[in-house]
Coordinates of all heavy atoms in Angstrom, one line a residue:
M997 N 16.1 -6.7 40.1 CA 15.2 -6.9 39.0 C 14.7 -5.6 38.4 O 14.0 -4.9 39.1 CB 13.9 -7.7 39.6 CG 14.2 -9.1 39.8 SD 14.0 -10.2 38.5 CE 12.2 -10.3 38.4
G998 N 15.1 -5.3 37.2 CA 14.7 -4.1 36.6 C 13.5 -4.4 35.7 O 13.0 -5.5 35.4
L999 N 13.0 -3.3 35.2 CA 12.0 -3.4 34.0 C 12.6 -4.0 32.9 O 13.7 -3.5 32.5 CB 11.3 -2.1 33.8 CG 10.4 -1.5 35.0 CD1 10.0 -0.2 34.7 CD2 9.2 -2.4 35.1
V1000 N 11.8 -4.7 32.1 CA 12.4 -5.2 30.8 C 11.9 -4.1 29.8 O 10.7 -3.9 29.6 CB 11.8 -6.5 30.5 CG1 12.2 -7.0 29.1 CG2 12.2 -7.5 31.6
A1001 N 12.9 -3.6 29.2 CA 12.5 -2.5 28.1 C 12.3 -3.3 26.8 O 13.1 -4.0 26.4 CB 13.6 -1.5 28.0
V1002 N 11.2 -3.1 26.3 CA 10.8 -3.7 25.0 C 11.0 -2.5 23.9 O 10.2 -1.7 23.9 CB 9.4 -4.3 25.0 CG1 9.1 -4.9 23.5 CG2 9.4 -5.5 26.0
E1003 N 12.0 -2.8 23.0 CA 12.2 -1.8 22.0 C 11.2 -2.0 20.9 O 11.1 -3.1 20.4 CB 13.6 -1.9 21.4 CG 14.7 -1.5 22.4 CD 14.9 0.0 22.4 OE1 14.8 0.6 21.3 OE2 15.4 0.5 23.4
R1004 N 10.5 -0.9 20.6 CA 9.6 -1.0 19.5 C 10.4 -0.7 18.2 O 11.1 0.3 18.1 CB 8.5 0.1 19.5 CG 7.3 -0.3 20.4 CD 6.2 0.8 20.1 NE 5.0 0.2 20.7 CZ 3.9 0.9 20.3 NH1 3.9 1.9 19.4 NH2 2.8 0.5 20.8
P1005 N 10.3 -1.5 17.2 CA 11.0 -1.2 16.0 C 10.4 0.1 15.4 O 9.3 0.4 15.5 CB 10.7 -2.4 15.0 CG 9.5 -3.1 15.6 CD 9.5 -2.7 17.1
K1006 N 11.4 0.8 14.8 CA 11.0 2.1 14.2 C 10.1 1.9 13.0 O 10.5 0.9 12.2 CB 12.1 2.9 13.9 CG 12.9 3.6 15.0 CD 14.0 4.6 14.4 CE 14.6 5.3 15.7 NZ 15.8 6.1 15.2
P1007 N 9.1 2.6 12.8 CA 8.3 2.4 11.6 C 9.1 2.7 10.3 O 10.0 3.5 10.3 CB 7.3 3.6 11.7 CG 7.2 4.0 13.2 CD 8.6 3.7 13.7
K1008 N 8.8 1.9 9.4 CA 9.4 1.9 8.1 C 8.5 2.5 7.0 O 7.3 2.4 7.2 CB 10.0 0.6 7.6 CG 11.0 -0.1 8.6 CD 11.4 -1.4 8.1 CE 12.4 -2.0 9.0 NZ 12.6 -3.5 8.9
T1009 N 9.2 2.9 5.9 CA 8.4 3.3 4.8 C 8.7 2.4 3.6 O 9.8 2.0 3.3 CB 8.8 4.7 4.3 OG1 8.5 5.6 5.4 CG2 8.1 5.2 3.1
H1010 N 7.6 1.9 3.0 CA 7.7 0.9 1.9 C 7.1 1.7 0.6 O 6.2 2.4 0.8 CB 6.8 -0.3 2.2 CG 7.2 -0.9 3.5 ND1 8.0 -2.0 3.6 CD2 6.8 -0.7 4.8 CE1 8.2 -2.3 4.9 NE2 7.4 -1.5 5.7
T1011 N 7.7 1.2 -0.5 CA 7.2 1.8 -1.8 C 6.6 0.8 -2.6 O 7.2 -0.2 -2.8 CB 8.3 2.6 -2.4 OG1 8.8 3.6 -1.6 CG2 7.8 3.3 -3.8
V1012 N 5.4 1.1 -3.2 CA 4.8 0.2 -4.2 C 4.7 1.1 -5.4 O 4.1 2.2 -5.5 CB 3.4 -0.2 -3.9 CG1 2.7 -1.0 -5.0 CG2 3.4 -1.0 -2.5
I1013 N 5.4 0.6 -6.5 CA 5.5 1.3 -7.8 C 4.3 0.8 -8.6 O 4.0 -0.4 -8.8 CB 6.8 1.0 -8.5 CG1 8.0 1.4 -7.7 CG2 6.8 1.7 -9.9 CD1 8.1 3.0 -7.5
I1014 N 3.5 1.7 -9.2 CA 2.4 1.4 -10.1 C 3.0 1.7 -11.5 O 3.2 2.8 -11.8 CB 1.1 2.1 -9.8 CG1 0.8 2.0 -8.4 CG2 0.0 1.5 -10.7 CD1 -0.4 3.0 -8.0
E1015 N 3.1 0.7 -12.2 CA 3.8 0.9 -13.6 C 3.3 -0.3 -14.6 O 3.3 -1.5 -14.1 CB 5.2 0.9 -13.5 CG 6.0 1.4 -14.8 CD 7.4 1.7 -14.6 OE1 8.1 1.1 -13.6 OE2 8.0 2.5 -15.3
G1016 N 3.0 0.1 -15.8 CA 2.6 -0.9 -16.7 C 1.3 -1.7 -16.3 O 1.3 -3.0 -16.4
M1017 N 0.4 -1.0 -15.6 CA -0.8 -1.7 -15.1 C -0.6 -2.7 -14.1 O -1.4 -3.7 -14.0 CB -1.6 -2.3 -16.4 CG -2.0 -1.2 -17.4 SD -3.5 -0.4 -17.0 CE -4.7 -1.7 -17.2
R1018 N 0.4 -2.6 -13.3 CA 0.8 -3.6 -12.2 C 1.1 -2.7 -10.9 O 1.8 -1.7 -11.1 CB 1.9 -4.5 -12.6 CG 1.7 -5.2 -13.9 CD 2.9 -6.2 -14.0 NE 2.7 -7.4 -13.2 CZ 2.7 -8.7 -13.6 NH1 2.9 -8.9 -14.9 NH2 2.5 -9.6 -12.8
F1019 N 0.9 -3.4 -9.9 CA 1.4 -3.0 -8.6 C 2.7 -3.8 -8.4 O 2.8 -5.0 -8.4 CB 0.5 -3.3 -7.4 CG -0.8 -2.5 -7.5 CD1 -2.0 -3.2 -7.8 CD2 -0.9 -1.2 -7.2 CE1 -3.1 -2.5 -8.0 CE2 -2.1 -0.5 -7.1 CZ -3.2 -1.2 -7.6
Q1020 N 3.8 -3.1 -8.1 CA 5.1 -3.8 -7.8 C 5.7 -3.4 -6.5 O 6.0 -2.2 -6.4 CB 6.1 -3.5 -9.0 CG 5.6 -3.9 -10.3 CD 6.4 -3.3 -11.4 OE1 7.7 -3.2 -11.4 NE2 5.8 -2.9 -12.6
P1021 N 5.8 -4.3 -5.5 CA 5.5 -5.7 -5.5 C 3.9 -5.9 -5.4 O 3.3 -5.1 -4.8 CB 6.3 -6.3 -4.4 CG 6.2 -5.2 -3.3 CD 6.4 -3.9 -4.2
E1022 N 3.5 -7.0 -5.9 CA 2.1 -7.4 -5.9 C 1.7 -7.9 -4.4 O 0.6 -7.8 -4.0 CB 1.7 -8.5 -6.9 CG 1.8 -7.9 -8.3 CD 1.3 -8.8 -9.3 OE1 1.3 -10.1 -9.0 OE2 1.0 -8.5 -10.4
S1023 N 2.8 -8.4 -3.7 CA 2.5 -8.8 -2.4 C 3.5 -8.1 -1.5 O 4.7 -8.1 -1.7 CB 2.7 -10.2 -2.3 OG 2.7 -10.7 -0.9
L1024 N 3.0 -7.4 -0.4 CA 3.9 -6.6 0.5 C 3.5 -6.9 1.9 O 2.4 -6.8 2.2 CB 3.7 -5.1 0.2 CG 4.6 -4.2 1.0 CD1 6.2 -4.4 0.8 CD2 4.3 -2.7 0.8
T1025 N 4.5 -7.2 2.7 CA 4.2 -7.4 4.1 C 4.9 -6.2 5.0 O 6.1 -6.0 4.7 CB 4.8 -8.7 4.6 OG1 4.2 -9.8 3.9 CG2 4.5 -8.9 6.1
V1026 N 4.1 -5.6 5.8 CA 4.6 -4.5 6.6 C 4.2 -4.7 8.0 O 3.4 -5.7 8.4 CB 4.1 -3.1 6.1 CG1 4.3 -3.0 4.6 CG2 2.6 -3.0 6.4
A1027 N 4.8 -4.0 8.9 CA 4.4 -4.0 10.4 C 3.4 -2.8 10.6 O 3.3 -1.7 9.9 CB 5.7 -3.7 11.2
R1028 N 2.6 -3.0 11.7 CA 1.6 -1.9 12.1 C 2.5 -0.7 12.3 O 3.6 -0.7 13.0 CB 1.0 -2.3 13.3 CG -0.1 -3.3 13.2 CD -0.8 -3.7 14.4 NE -1.5 -2.7 15.1 CZ -1.8 -2.6 16.3 NH1 -1.6 -3.7 17.1 NH2 -2.4 -1.6 16.9
G1029 N 2.1 0.4 11.9 CA 2.7 1.7 12.0 C 3.6 2.1 10.9 O 4.1 3.2 10.8
D1030 N 3.9 1.1 10.0 CA 4.7 1.4 8.8 C 3.9 2.2 7.8 O 2.6 2.2 7.9 CB 5.2 0.1 8.1 CG 6.2 -0.6 8.8 OD1 6.8 -0.1 9.8 OD2 6.8 -1.7 8.4
T1031 N 4.6 2.9 7.0 CA 3.9 3.7 6.0 C 4.2 3.0 4.6 O 5.2 2.6 4.3 CB 4.5 5.1 6.0 OG1 4.1 5.7 7.3 CG2 4.0 6.0 4.9
I1032 N 3.3 3.1 3.7 CA 3.3 2.6 2.3 C 3.0 3.8 1.4 O 2.0 4.5 1.6 CB 2.3 1.4 2.1 CG1 2.4 0.4 3.1 CG2 2.5 0.9 0.6 CD1 1.5 0.3 4.2
V1033 N 3.9 4.0 0.4 CA 3.7 5.0 -0.6 C 3.5 4.3 -1.9 O 4.4 3.6 -2.4 CB 5.0 5.9 -0.6 CG1 4.8 7.0 -1.5 CG2 5.3 6.5 0.8
W1034 N 2.4 4.6 -2.5 CA 2.1 4.1 -3.9 C 2.5 5.2 -4.8 O 2.0 6.4 -4.7 CB 0.7 3.8 -4.0 CG 0.2 2.4 -3.5 CD1 0.1 1.3 -4.2 CD2 -0.2 2.1 -2.2 NE1 -0.3 0.3 -3.3 CE2 -0.5 0.9 -2.1 CE3 -0.3 3.0 -1.0 CZ2 -1.0 0.1 -1.0 CZ3 -0.8 2.3 0.2 CH2 -1.1 1.0 0.2
V1035 N 3.4 4.9 -5.7 CA 3.8 5.8 -6.7 C 3.4 5.5 -8.1 O 3.7 4.3 -8.6 CB 5.5 6.0 -6.8 CG1 5.9 7.0 -7.7 CG2 5.9 6.3 -5.2
N1036 N 2.7 6.3 -8.7 CA 2.1 6.0 -10.1 C 3.1 6.5 -11.1 O 3.2 7.7 -11.4 CB 0.7 6.8 -10.2 CG 0.2 6.4 -11.6 OD1 0.6 5.5 -12.4 ND2 -1.0 7.0 -11.9
K1037 N 3.7 5.5 -11.9 CA 4.7 5.8 -12.9 C 4.1 5.8 -14.3 O 4.8 5.9 -15.3 CB 5.9 4.8 -12.8 CG 6.6 4.9 -11.5 CD 7.7 5.9 -11.5 CE 8.8 5.8 -10.5 NZ 9.8 6.8 -10.4
D1038 N 2.7 5.4 -14.2 CA 2.1 5.3 -15.6 C 1.6 6.7 -16.0 O 1.5 7.7 -15.1 CB 0.9 4.4 -15.6 CG 1.2 2.9 -15.8 OD1 2.3 2.7 -16.4 OD2 0.5 2.0 -15.3
M1039 N 1.2 6.8 -17.2 CA 0.9 8.2 -17.7 C -0.7 8.5 -17.6 O -1.2 9.4 -18.1 CB 1.2 8.3 -19.2 CG 2.7 8.2 -19.4 SD 3.6 9.4 -18.3 CE 3.1 11.0 -18.9
F1040 N -1.4 7.6 -16.7 CA -2.8 7.8 -16.5 C -3.1 7.4 -15.1 O -2.3 6.8 -14.4 CB -3.6 6.9 -17.5 CG -3.0 5.6 -17.7 CD1 -3.4 4.6 -17.0 CD2 -2.1 5.3 -18.7 CE1 -2.8 3.3 -17.1 CE2 -1.5 4.1 -19.0 CZ -1.9 3.0 -18.1
P1041 N -4.2 7.8 -14.6 CA -4.5 7.5 -13.1 C -4.8 6.1 -12.7 O -5.3 5.4 -13.6 CB -5.8 8.5 -12.8 CG -6.0 9.3 -14.0 CD -5.3 8.7 -15.2
H1042 N -4.5 5.8 -11.5 CA -4.8 4.5 -11.0 C -5.3 4.7 -9.5 O -5.1 5.9 -8.9 CB -3.5 3.7 -10.8 CG -3.1 3.1 -12.0 ND1 -3.7 2.2 -12.9 CD2 -1.8 3.5 -12.8 CE1 -2.9 2.1 -13.9 NE2 -1.9 2.7 -14.0
T1043 N -5.8 3.7 -8.9 CA -6.1 3.8 -7.5 C -5.6 2.6 -6.8 O -5.2 1.6 -7.3 CB -7.7 3.8 -7.2 OG1 -8.2 2.5 -7.2 CG2 -8.5 4.7 -8.1
A1044 N -5.5 2.7 -5.4 CA -5.2 1.6 -4.6 C -6.3 1.5 -3.6 O -6.4 2.3 -2.6 CB -3.8 1.7 -3.9
T1045 N -7.1 0.6 -3.8 CA -8.4 0.5 -3.1 C -8.6 -0.9 -2.5 O -8.7 -2.0 -3.2 CB -9.6 0.8 -4.1 OG1 -9.3 2.0 -4.7 CG2 -10.9 0.8 -3.3
S1046 N -8.7 -0.9 -1.2 CA -8.8 -2.3 -0.6 C -10.2 -2.9 -0.7 O -11.2 -2.0 -0.6 CB -8.4 -2.2 0.9 OG -9.3 -1.6 1.7
E1047 N -10.4 -4.2 -0.8 CA -11.7 -4.7 -1.0 C -12.6 -4.5 0.1 O -13.8 -4.3 0.1 CB -11.6 -6.1 -1.4 CG -11.0 -6.3 -2.8 CD -10.6 -7.7 -3.2 OE1 -10.8 -8.6 -2.3 OE2 -10.0 -7.9 -4.3
G1048 N -12.0 -4.5 1.4 CA -12.9 -4.4 2.6 C -13.2 -3.0 3.0 O -13.7 -2.7 4.0
G1049 N -12.6 -2.0 2.2 CA -12.8 -0.7 2.5 C -11.9 -0.1 3.5 O -12.1 1.1 4.1
R1050 N -10.8 -0.8 3.8 CA -9.9 -0.4 4.8 C -9.1 0.9 4.3 O -8.7 1.7 5.1 CB -8.9 -1.5 5.1 CG -7.8 -1.2 6.1 CD -8.4 -1.1 7.6 NE -7.5 -0.5 8.5 CZ -7.8 0.4 9.5 NH1 -9.1 0.7 9.6 NH2 -6.9 0.9 10.2
F1051 N -8.8 0.9 3.0 CA -8.1 2.2 2.5 C -8.5 2.3 1.1 O -8.8 1.4 0.4 CB -6.6 2.0 2.7 CG -5.9 0.8 2.0 CD1 -5.7 0.9 0.6 CD2 -5.6 -0.3 2.7 CE1 -5.0 -0.2 0.0 CE2 -5.0 -1.3 2.1 CZ -4.7 -1.3 0.7
D1052 N -8.5 3.6 0.7 CA -8.8 3.9 -0.6 C -8.1 5.2 -1.1 O -8.3 6.2 -0.4 CB -10.3 4.1 -0.8 CG -10.7 4.5 -2.3 OD1 -9.9 4.3 -3.2 OD2 -11.9 4.7 -2.5
S1053 N -7.2 5.1 -2.0 CA -6.4 6.3 -2.3 C -7.3 7.3 -3.2 O -6.7 8.4 -3.3 CB -5.2 5.8 -3.3 OG -5.7 5.3 -4.5
Q1054 N -8.4 6.9 -3.7 CA -9.0 7.7 -4.8 C -8.0 7.7 -5.9 O -7.1 7.1 -6.0 CB -9.3 9.0 -4.3 CG -10.2 9.1 -3.0 CD -11.6 8.5 -3.1 OE1 -12.1 8.6 -4.3 NE2 -12.2 8.1 -2.1
S1055 N -8.2 8.7 -6.9 CA -7.4 8.7 -8.1 C -6.0 9.1 -7.8 O -5.9 10.3 -7.3 CB -8.2 9.6 -9.1 OG -7.4 9.6 -10.3
I1056 N -5.0 8.4 -8.2 CA -3.6 8.9 -8.1 C -3.2 9.2 -9.5 O -3.1 8.4 -10.4 CB -2.7 7.7 -7.6 CG1 -3.2 7.1 -6.3 CG2 -1.3 8.2 -7.4 CD1 -2.5 5.9 -5.8
Q1057 N -3.0 10.6 -9.8 CA -2.6 11.0 -11.1 C -1.3 10.5 -11.4 O -0.4 10.1 -10.7 CB -2.7 12.5 -11.1 CG -4.0 13.1 -10.7 CD -5.2 12.7 -11.7 OE1 -4.9 12.7 -12.9 NE2 -6.3 12.3 -11.3
A1058 N -1.0 10.6 -12.7 CA 0.4 10.3 -13.3 C 1.4 11.0 -12.5 O 1.3 12.2 -12.3 CB 0.4 10.6 -14.8
E1059 N 2.5 10.2 -12.2 CA 3.7 10.8 -11.4 C 3.3 11.3 -10.2 O 4.1 12.0 -9.4 CB 4.3 12.0 -12.3 CG 4.8 11.5 -13.7 CD 5.9 10.4 -13.6 OE1 6.7 10.4 -12.6 OE2 5.9 9.5 -14.5
K1060 N 2.2 11.0 -9.6 CA 1.9 11.4 -8.2 C 1.9 10.1 -7.2 O 2.0 9.0 -7.8 CB 0.5 12.1 -8.1 CG 0.3 13.4 -8.9 CD 1.1 14.5 -8.3 CE 0.8 15.7 -9.1 NZ 1.7 16.9 -8.8
S1061 N 1.8 10.3 -6.0 CA 1.8 9.3 -5.1 C 0.9 9.5 -4.0 O 0.2 10.5 -3.9 CB 3.3 9.2 -4.4 OG 3.5 10.4 -3.6
W1062 N 0.5 8.4 -3.3 CA -0.4 8.4 -2.2 C 0.2 7.6 -1.0 O 0.8 6.6 -1.2 CB -1.8 7.8 -2.6 CG -2.7 7.8 -1.5 CD1 -3.4 8.9 -1.0 CD2 -3.3 6.6 -0.8 NE1 -4.3 8.5 0.0 CE2 -4.2 7.1 0.2 CE3 -3.0 5.3 -0.8 CZ2 -5.0 6.3 1.1 CZ3 -3.7 4.3 0.1 CH2 -4.6 4.9 0.9
T1063 N 0.0 8.1 0.2 CA 0.6 7.5 1.4 C -0.4 7.1 2.3 O -1.4 7.7 2.5 CB 1.5 8.7 2.0 OG1 2.5 9.0 1.1 CG2 2.2 8.0 3.3
F1064 N -0.2 5.9 3.0 CA -1.1 5.2 3.9 C -0.3 4.7 5.0 O 0.7 4.0 4.8 CB -1.9 4.2 3.2 CG -2.8 3.4 4.1 CD1 -3.9 3.8 4.6 CD2 -2.4 2.0 4.3 CE1 -4.7 3.0 5.5 CE2 -3.2 1.2 5.3 CZ -4.4 1.8 5.7
T1065 N -0.7 4.9 6.2 CA 0.0 4.3 7.4 C -0.9 3.1 7.9 O -2.0 3.3 8.2 CB 0.1 5.4 8.5 OG1 1.0 6.4 8.0 CG2 0.9 4.7 9.7
A1066 N -0.2 2.0 7.9 CA -0.9 0.8 8.3 C -1.2 0.8 9.8 O -0.2 0.7 10.6 CB -0.1 -0.4 7.9
G1067 N -2.5 0.8 10.3 CA -2.8 0.9 11.6 C -3.4 -0.4 12.2 O -3.5 -0.6 13.4
K1068 N -3.7 -1.4 11.4 CA -4.5 -2.5 11.8 C -4.0 -3.7 11.2 O -3.6 -3.7 9.9 CB -6.0 -2.3 11.4 CG -6.9 -3.2 12.0 CD -8.4 -2.9 11.6 CE -9.4 -4.0 12.1 NZ -10.7 -3.7 11.6
K1069 N -3.8 -4.8 11.9 CA -3.3 -6.0 11.4 C -4.4 -6.7 10.4 O -5.5 -6.5 10.6 CB -3.0 -7.1 12.5 CG -1.8 -6.7 13.3 CD -1.6 -7.8 14.3 CE -0.5 -7.4 15.3 NZ -0.2 -8.5 16.3
G1070 N -3.8 -7.4 9.5 CA -4.7 -8.1 8.7 C -4.1 -8.3 7.2 O -3.0 -7.9 6.9
E1071 N -4.9 -8.9 6.4 CA -4.6 -9.2 5.0 C -5.5 -8.3 4.2 O -6.7 -8.5 4.3 CB -4.8 -10.7 4.8 CG -4.6 -11.0 3.3 CD -4.8 -12.5 3.1 OE1 -4.7 -13.4 4.1 OE2 -5.2 -12.9 2.0
F1072 N -5.0 -7.3 3.4 CA -5.9 -6.5 2.6 C -5.6 -6.6 1.2 O -4.6 -6.1 0.6 CB -5.6 -5.1 3.1 CG -5.7 -4.8 4.6 CD1 -4.6 -4.8 5.5 CD2 -7.0 -4.7 5.2 CE1 -4.8 -4.7 6.8 CE2 -7.2 -4.6 6.6 CZ -6.1 -4.5 7.4
A1073 N -6.5 -7.4 0.6 CA -6.4 -7.4 -0.9 C -6.9 -6.1 -1.5 O -7.8 -5.5 -0.9 CB -7.3 -8.5 -1.4
Y1074 N -6.2 -5.6 -2.5 CA -6.6 -4.4 -3.0 C -6.5 -4.3 -4.6 O -5.9 -5.3 -5.2 CB -5.9 -3.2 -2.5 CG -4.4 -3.1 -2.7 CD1 -3.9 -2.3 -3.8 CD2 -3.5 -3.7 -1.9 CE1 -2.5 -2.2 -4.1 CE2 -2.1 -3.7 -2.2 CZ -1.6 -2.9 -3.2 OH -0.3 -2.8 -3.4
T1075 N -7.1 -3.4 -5.1 CA -7.2 -3.4 -6.6 C -7.2 -1.9 -7.0 O -7.2 -1.0 -6.3 CB -8.5 -4.1 -7.0 OG1 -8.5 -4.1 -8.5 CG2 -9.8 -3.3 -6.7
C1076 N -7.2 -1.7 -8.3 CA -7.4 -0.3 -8.9 C -8.8 -0.3 -9.4 O -9.2 -1.2 -10.3 CB -6.4 -0.2 -10.1 SG -6.8 1.4 -11.0
T1077 N -9.6 0.6 -9.0 CA -11.0 0.8 -9.4 C -11.2 0.9 -10.9 O -12.2 0.7 -11.5 CB -11.8 1.7 -8.5 OG1 -11.2 3.0 -8.7 CG2 -11.9 1.3 -7.1
F1078 N -10.1 1.6 -11.5 CA -10.3 1.9 -12.9 C -9.8 0.7 -13.7 O -10.3 0.6 -14.9 CB -9.3 3.1 -13.3 CG -9.5 4.3 -12.5 CD1 -8.5 5.1 -12.1 CD2 -10.9 4.8 -12.3 CE1 -8.7 6.3 -11.4 CE2 -11.0 5.9 -11.4 CZ -10.0 6.7 -11.1
H1079 N -9.0 -0.2 -13.2 CA -8.5 -1.4 -13.9 C -8.6 -2.6 -13.0 O -7.6 -3.0 -12.3 CB -7.0 -1.1 -14.3 CG -6.8 0.1 -15.0 ND1 -6.3 1.2 -14.4 CD2 -7.1 0.6 -16.2 CE1 -6.2 2.3 -15.2 NE2 -6.7 1.9 -16.4
P1080 N -9.7 -3.2 -13.0 CA -10.0 -4.3 -12.0 C -9.1 -5.5 -12.1 O -9.0 -6.4 -11.2 CB -11.5 -4.6 -12.3 CG -12.1 -3.5 -12.9 CD -11.0 -2.9 -13.8
T1081 N -8.4 -5.6 -13.3 CA -7.4 -6.7 -13.4 C -6.1 -6.5 -12.7 O -5.3 -7.4 -12.3 CB -7.0 -6.9 -14.9 OG1 -6.4 -5.7 -15.5 CG2 -8.2 -7.3 -15.7
M1082 N -6.0 -5.2 -12.1 CA -4.8 -5.0 -11.3 C -5.1 -5.5 -9.8 O -6.0 -4.8 -9.2 CB -4.5 -3.5 -11.3 CG -4.0 -3.0 -12.6 SD -3.9 -1.1 -12.8 CE -2.7 -0.9 -11.5
K1083 N -4.4 -6.4 -9.3 CA -4.6 -6.9 -8.0 C -3.3 -7.0 -7.2 O -2.3 -7.3 -7.8 CB -5.3 -8.3 -8.1 CG -6.7 -8.1 -8.6 CD -7.4 -9.6 -8.6 CE -8.8 -9.5 -9.2 NZ -9.7 -8.6 -8.4
A1084 N -3.5 -6.8 -6.0 CA -2.3 -6.9 -5.1 C -2.8 -7.1 -3.7 O -3.9 -7.1 -3.3 CB -1.4 -5.7 -5.2
V1085 N -1.8 -7.5 -2.7 CA -2.2 -7.7 -1.3 C -1.2 -7.0 -0.5 O 0.0 -7.1 -0.7 CB -2.2 -9.3 -1.1 CG1 -2.8 -9.5 0.4 CG2 -3.0 -10.0 -2.1
L1086 N -1.8 -6.4 0.5 CA -1.0 -5.8 1.7 C -1.2 -6.7 2.9 O -2.3 -6.8 3.4 CB -1.4 -4.4 1.9 CG -0.7 -3.6 3.1 CD1 0.8 -3.4 2.8 CD2 -1.5 -2.3 3.3
Y1087 N -0.2 -7.2 3.5 CA -0.2 -7.8 4.8 C 0.3 -7.0 5.8 O 1.5 -6.5 5.7 CB 0.5 -9.1 4.7 CG 0.2 -10.2 3.7 CD1 0.7 -10.3 2.5 CD2 -0.9 -11.0 4.0 CE1 0.4 -11.2 1.5 CE2 -1.3 -12.0 3.1 CZ -0.8 -12.1 1.8 OH -1.1 -13.0 0.9
V1088 N -0.5 -6.7 6.9 CA 0.0 -6.0 8.1 C 0.1 -6.9 9.3 O -0.8 -7.5 9.6 CB -1.0 -4.8 8.4 CG1 -0.4 -4.0 9.5 CG2 -1.2 -4.0 7.1
K1089 N 1.4 -7.0 9.7 CA 1.7 -8.0 10.8 C 1.5 -7.3 12.2 O 2.0 -6.1 12.3 CB 3.0 -8.6 10.7 CG 3.2 -9.4 9.4 CD 2.4 -10.7 9.4 CE 2.6 -11.5 8.2 NZ 1.7 -12.8 8.1
Ligands
CU591 CU1 -5.4 1.5 -12.7

């Protein structure tokens, strides 16, 4: 009887494109430890700000990006504080 080795999946990197006043994809599911990169393709700043305060990119300038590593399970609705009609959800499993 040996020890059962449980392989942890390697963390992945996911990309959310911000373009045309939208987060793409609007719904993203990641695993704990994964990294999410928001890339602003618009010509003006946006933010990725979770409603519960879990994460806040602050202002992401045009052609810039912001990286967040998901450390906690949950469902995180987020928005852009400059454009409250922009809505998306990050699910961390
Ligand atoms: Cu915005």
Side-chain angles (χ1 to χ4, degrees):
M997 289 270 287
L999 291 172
V1000 177
V1002 177
E1003 291 277 331
R1004 274 193 170 198
K1006 281 190 178 168
K1008 292 178 184 165
T1009 299
H1010 308 263
T1011 302
V1012 176
I1013 302 294
I1014 310 173
E1015 189 168 30
M1017 301 276 291
R1018 300 185 80 122
F1019 296 105
Q1020 301 169 36
E1022 287 184 345
S1023 171
L1024 177 65
T1025 301
V1026 307
R1028 284 175 66 193
D1030 284 1
T1031 295
I1032 306 98
V1033 183
W1034 281 265
V1035 180
N1036 183 6
K1037 298 274 194 183
D1038 276 337
M1039 297 310 293
F1040 41 89
H1042 292 292
T1043 79
T1045 306
S1046 73
E1047 288 170 4
R1050 181 72 194 139
F1051 59 83
D1052 183 6
S1053 67
Q1054 308 289 339
S1055 184
I1056 307 170
Q1057 299 298 316
E1059 298 300 326
K1060 298 290 185 187
S1061 65
W1062 181 69
T1063 299
F1064 172 72
T1065 300
K1068 193 176 175 186
K1069 287 183 186 183
E1071 175 182 335
F1072 304 100
Y1074 66 95
T1075 184
C1076 169
T1077 56
F1078 304 143
H1079 310 105
T1081 57
M1082 295 173 62
K1083 290 185 183 298
V1085 187
L1086 175 68
Y1087 298 97
V1088 183
K1089 300 288 182 188

